[in-house]
Amino acid sequence: MGTLESYRDLEVWRVSMRLAKEVYQATEALPKHEIYGLTSQIRRACVSVPANIAEGYGRNHRKEYLQFLGIANGSLKELETLLLLANSLNYIDDITELMSLCESTGRLLNRLLQSLQRGIDNH
């Protein structure tokens, strides 16, 4: 791929947006009494991933970008944990696809983090 014109060109951002959409759809079925609890927390975590990727991309310095990618990675791990909990409570029956998207996002995020870190280490 050529030069990036936007964070929207990043594969990790596109995959994390797909993940967020899938998570929103999956959480529609959660019990209504969880709307301000688990449902809300799951949704905040999934939105945090692409939002922090985008925000970091818009920062002026690579170290700031890395910081936001680290936050995105932390939110991804939080999301995985919350999905496992929702599954163990039988709120979401099958999280296989969601966890697969989490893993794909994590791999792409780690690749981007390593690439940016190499750029800092070489200076």
Side-chain angles (χ1 to χ4, degrees), residues 8-19:
R8 294 183 304 271
D9 294 330
L10 293 168
E11 184 180 3
V12 66
W13 182 83
R14 291 194 309 268
V15 172
S16 66
M17 285 292 286
R18 180 173 163 221
L19 172 62

Side-chain angles (χ1 to χ4, degrees), residues 59-73:
R59 292 296 170 145
N60 293 324
H61 302 285
R62 189 177 297 213
K63 286 185 180 183
E64 287 181 291
Y65 193 7
L66 283 165
Q67 180 182 357
F68 279 91
L69 292 177
I71 293 167
N73 203 29

Side-chain angles (χ1 to χ4, degrees), residues 7-67:
Y7 61 88
R8 294 183 304 271
D9 294 330
L10 293 168
E11 184 180 3
V12 66
W13 182 83
R14 291 194 309 268
V15 172
S16 66
M17 285 292 286
R18 180 173 163 221
L19 172 62
K21 179 181 176 184
E22 299 282 336
V23 166
Y24 258 77
Q25 291 171 343
T27 55
E28 284 293 319
L30 266 65
K32 294 301 171 207
H33 69 270
E34 286 291 352
I35 193 73
Y36 299 110
L38 192 56
T39 304
S40 177
Q41 194 164 352
I42 289 172
R43 288 178 171 186
R44 281 193 316 271
C46 78
V47 168
S48 177
V49 179
N52 277 290
I53 293 167
E55 187 169 355
Y57 184 91
R59 292 296 170 145
N60 293 324
H61 302 285
R62 189 177 297 213
K63 286 185 180 183
E64 287 181 291
Y65 193 7
L66 283 165
Q67 180 182 357

Side-chain angles (χ1 to χ4, degrees), residues 10 36 38 49 87 102 115 121-122:
L10 293 168
Y36 299 110
L38 192 56
V49 179
N87 180 251
C102 285
S115 173
D121 293 343
N122 291 335

